[in-house]
Amino acid sequence: MSIFKSLVCILRTFSYICFMKILVKKTILFYLKKYPMAEMPLMIWYNEFSKKEFANFNELKKVYGSASIVNNGRVVFNIKGNDFRLVVSVNFSQQACYVIWFGTHKEYDKINVETILFDTTILTEKI
């Protein structure tokens, strides 16, 4: 066994596992307030996803079968069945992601998921 693999085993023994960090929690809180019908399913996604570890999209897809990869590390999740869509930018090597966009399926059909930008006004909203 290599030194690296031994170190990984030791770190895992001490529960040092690098879970996925969801950056800017305020964005999630904003969308919870904006879409109260999606509150529970979005919180479930948030709590589950932040406790996962994915090396790549294939590993993510094994857990979230309906997730779609777009480009630039963007992943689209179905939330509350197919009622809502969540667009997330994922950096697998850093085990970090941030929410770019969230909305209803109808609203999703009106955006270009490959180019939609994060709405920075969310950061100044009172929640």
Side-chain angles (χ1 to χ4, degrees):
M1 184 181 289
S2 73
I3 293 172
F4 175 75
K5 285 185 179 178
S6 297
L7 182 59
V8 169
C9 290
I10 291 168
L11 291 176
R12 287 180 188 263
T13 302
F14 290 106
S15 298
Y16 181 78
I17 298 174
C18 205
F19 295 123
M20 188 61 73
K21 294 175 284 302
I22 302 173
L23 307 174
V24 193
K25 185 177 180 180
K26 186 171 186 175
T27 306
I28 295 287
L29 297 174
F30 172 83
Y31 286 123
L32 291 175
K33 184 177 177 183
K34 184 174 180 179
Y35 298 99
M37 288 180 54
E39 181 177 358
M40 186 61 71
L42 188 55
M43 283 307 299
I44 289 170
W45 175 88
Y46 178 86
N47 287 321
E48 284 179 356
F49 197 76
S50 63
K51 294 175 183 155
K52 301 287 185 191
E53 180 181 14
F54 304 106
N56 53 49
F57 179 72
N58 291 334
E59 287 184 8
L60 185 147
K61 185 78 171 166
K62 287 178 187 174
V63 176
Y64 297 96
S66 65
S68 304
I69 191 158
V70 184
N71 72 352
N72 301 328
R74 291 182 178 202
V75 178
V76 179
F77 294 92
N78 292 328
I79 303 293
K80 194 175 182 247
N82 208 14
D83 293 347
F84 294 90
R85 296 289 170 89
L86 175 66
V87 180
V88 176
S89 178
V90 180
N91 183 323
F92 292 103
S93 64
Q94 296 295 316
Q95 287 295 295
C97 74
Y98 70 94
V99 173
I100 295 173
W101 184 90
F102 181 76
T104 66
H105 191 142
K106 187 176 179 180
E107 292 167 330
Y108 175 83
D109 289 339
K110 295 176 184 175
I111 68 165
N112 182 337
V113 70
E114 294 180 3
T115 60
I116 187 92
L117 298 175
F118 172 72
D119 181 1
T120 57
T121 61
I122 291 171
L123 301 175
T124 59
E125 288 282 328
K126 280 196 166 194
I127 298 180

